[in-house]
Amino acid sequence: LLLRTPGPWARVAAVGVVASAVVAWGMAQRPYLLPTSLTVDEAAGAPSTLTWLAVVTLVALLVVVPAVVFLYWLDTHGELEELTDSELGGGSDPDGDRAVFDS
């Protein structure tokens, strides 16, 4: 909606986004995950579990983020080769049907 000429639907969408954000903020203030039966404190994992979850998340970020940044750098500097149709799996049999692989 933002890429086209601004019209009434862009305004309606903007109002909807703001209203959704206000409702989400209000719901986040409630201490219940399930109304009147399960609070956030009751649903939280054990402290040791949460600690290990944080450690594993940090290690995963340390491994994945540099790889993605390097891949982005390679792509923006034209270091990657274009994929061929066979590499993309575009090959098919002469009848136009996909090949069936036996296991």
Side-chain angles (χ1 to χ4, degrees):
L1 292 174
L2 294 175
L3 295 177
R4 292 188 259 164
T5 304
W9 289 110
R11 289 187 182 97
V12 171
V15 169
V17 167
V18 171
S20 297
V22 170
V23 168
W25 174 79
M27 294 299 291
Q29 301 305 309
R30 296 180 48 105
Y32 292 103
L33 292 176
L34 298 175
T36 69
S37 62
L38 182 64
T39 65
V40 174
D41 286 335
E42 293 170 349
S48 62
T49 303
L50 296 176
T51 301
W52 278 107
L53 180 63
V55 168
V56 169
T57 301
L58 182 62
V59 169
L61 285 173
L62 290 174
V63 170
V64 171
V65 169
V68 171
V69 169
F70 182 58
L71 183 62
Y72 178 75
W73 184 87
L74 288 174
D75 186 46
T76 56
H77 287 83
E79 299 291 329
L80 299 177
E81 297 177 5
E82 293 290 325
L83 295 175
T84 63
D85 286 340
S86 63
E87 291 172 332
L88 292 173
S92 61
D93 66 356
D95 298 332
D97 298 332
R98 291 186 153 256
V100 176
F101 298 102
D102 294 328
S103 52

